[in-house]
Amino acid sequence: MSVLKITGGRSLEGSLRVQGAKNSALPLLAASVLTEGLSVFRNCPRLTDVAATVDILRHVGCRVYGEGDALYVDASGPISPEVPDELMGRMRSSVIFLGALLSRCGEVSLSLPGGCELGPRPVDLHLLALRALGAEVTEAGGRLCCRCARLRGGRIDLPSPSVGATENAMLAAVRARGNTVITGAAREPEIRDLQEYLRSCGALVTGAGSSVIRIRGVEKLGGGEKRIMPDRIAAATYLAACASAGGRVRLYDACPGDMVPVLQALRGMGCELRTGENLIMLERRGPLRSPGPVITRPHPGFPTDAQPPLMAAVLKAQGTTVMIETIFESRYRHVPALRSMGADIRTAGKTAVIRGVERLRGGEVHASDLRGGAALAVAALAAEGETVISGTEYMDRGYEDMAGALTALGAEACSE
Ligand code: EPU
């Protein structure tokens, strides 16, 4: 089992290219099974979740190969609608294959992803969307089967803006007969990326980024092309790292326009921020202060995925910070590890109250999940002595070589 070792106390200084977005790459790769051609995805991050998605694509019959940061998916051959449980279980977001395989094959059989580190992960909204397009859904022996020879367009009213359900609805609708309107759609920028790719394949989709998405179904899709957007959560994590450690970092290939609430919170903490096209510069010299209350919300609100790293950055900030997590039930699982490092955090339900402390100390801690692990790394940079973080397999799901990135910014970090 590998660990990430970080010795705190050094300020950060340097430049870092932001990796391609995990949460764009996964639905884009799943979407490629809808096409009967060759797709190329540039700026594809090297992550274990991407590798798991590629294994599913290969299993269902796609040819997949990489060249530099590009991944090529050839889905022109026959595609199988079944994914084995072992492959489904490796990653919660594999549920995105539901809409894509149903649309391509007229049927799909998958095991349910179940809960995960963040709490229960229901799929009712995904199924609501597929049923609205005519799919017959049955559940037997833990497997979910959806059938419909040719989906027909319809109205999908999502009662809450689920990112995955919006993506599944789009994937199912692009080849359905007739028109589809999705209301209450999630507005995350990754959904805009999905729309751009689908359009490059010949799909007729508009509205991504707003809460109403309109789709006119087409008979077939050809191959397509997409440069994956920058990972706004990885960017937020490295900005939080610099806020925590002090110093100055410059992130390029970034998307500041998609990160407004995170940048606002960092400014509120006393960091100096400058942004340019694809560029974010953060400098923190003086003491940090509380940014005021931070409430996670669907986009364009403060992203739940940035809550753990931001929490880690405020541990030594002057004053009290209140965080309210409204998206996931169990997204404070990093708190006990942060407390063991000296943090003063109280949680009750959705609320966490963090009182700034003078000192944090390194120690042996375990990552509870992907973003929780990132939080431990951010805290370790401001702690005295060495922190040894185990459970780094969670971090490898979403961060491309975090030890390397932190080292490039001047931190004392290594992966062993
Ligand atoms: N929900 C339902 N029913 C559903 C689907 C979702 O009740 O059918 C609930 C969830 O339980 C949750 C909320 O709706 O409470 C939001 O879930 P959503 O469907 O929007 O999340 P997701 O699509 O499963 C994506 C990201 C997550 C990110 C969330 C919220 C991907 C692959 N994953 O998940 O990313 O936290 O949106 O922004 O895009 C991460 O990167 O660390 C991560 C967890």
Side-chain angles (χ1 to χ4, degrees), residues 30-251:
S32 66
V33 298
L34 275 176
T35 72
E36 277 152 76
L38 178 68
S39 294
V40 53
F41 301 105
R42 302 187 198 283
N43 198 31
C44 202
R46 287 171 203 273
L47 304 169
T48 51
D49 268 8
V50 168
T53 308
V54 166
D55 286 346
I56 296 179
L57 288 171
R58 289 201 172 118
H59 175 88
V60 298
C62 300
R63 252 173 27 91
V64 188
Y65 51 96
E67 201 180 86
D69 71 358
L71 261 187
Y72 292 79
V73 183
D74 181 353
S76 56
I79 297 292
S80 145
E82 273 193 43
V83 183
D85 296 0
E86 188 273 320
L87 289 180
M88 279 304 284
R90 273 168 60 190
M91 182 184 57
R92 144 86 203 179
S93 40
S94 49
V95 69
I96 194 67
F97 278 96
L98 207 55
L101 286 173
L102 173 64
S103 172
R104 172 74 189 260
C105 307
E107 59 175 325
V108 57
S109 162
L110 307 171
S111 57
L112 284 168
C116 76
E117 312 84 47
L118 308 180
R121 302 287 292 261
V123 293
D124 54 317
L125 302 175
H126 298 250
L127 300 184
L128 173 152
L130 301 181
R131 284 194 175 109
L133 303 184
E136 187 191 309
V137 182
T138 50
E139 272 182 71
R143 281 186 91 74
L144 195 62
C145 297
C146 301
R147 263 197 193 83
C148 189
R150 173 100 196 261
L151 296 163
R152 50 173 163 66
R155 211 186 143 91
I156 302 174
D157 297 315
L158 292 174
S160 64
S162 155
V163 176
T166 302
E167 292 165 344
N168 250 328
M170 289 167 77
L171 298 188
V174 284
R175 287 182 54 172
R177 196 190 307 274
N179 297 338
T180 297
V181 180
I182 308 170
T183 67
R187 292 182 282 166
E188 269 65 6
E190 291 75 15
I191 291 171
R192 207 178 53 211
D193 245 25
L194 181 60
Q195 170 173 288
E196 283 170 17
Y197 165 66
L198 289 170
R199 286 167 72 122
S200 80
C201 302
L204 302 172
V205 197
T206 56
S210 79
S211 54
V212 181
I213 298 176
R214 292 174 200 279
I215 297 165
R216 177 174 298 181
V218 295
E219 192 84 21
K220 273 192 169 188
L221 293 178
E225 183 167 9
K226 183 76 188 93
R227 184 181 162 81
I228 293 170
M229 65 173 286
D231 195 311
R232 58 199 172 96
I233 307 303
T237 302
Y238 294 115
L239 294 176
C242 184
S244 175
R248 181 169 57 178
V249 295
R250 178 177 166 277
L251 301 185

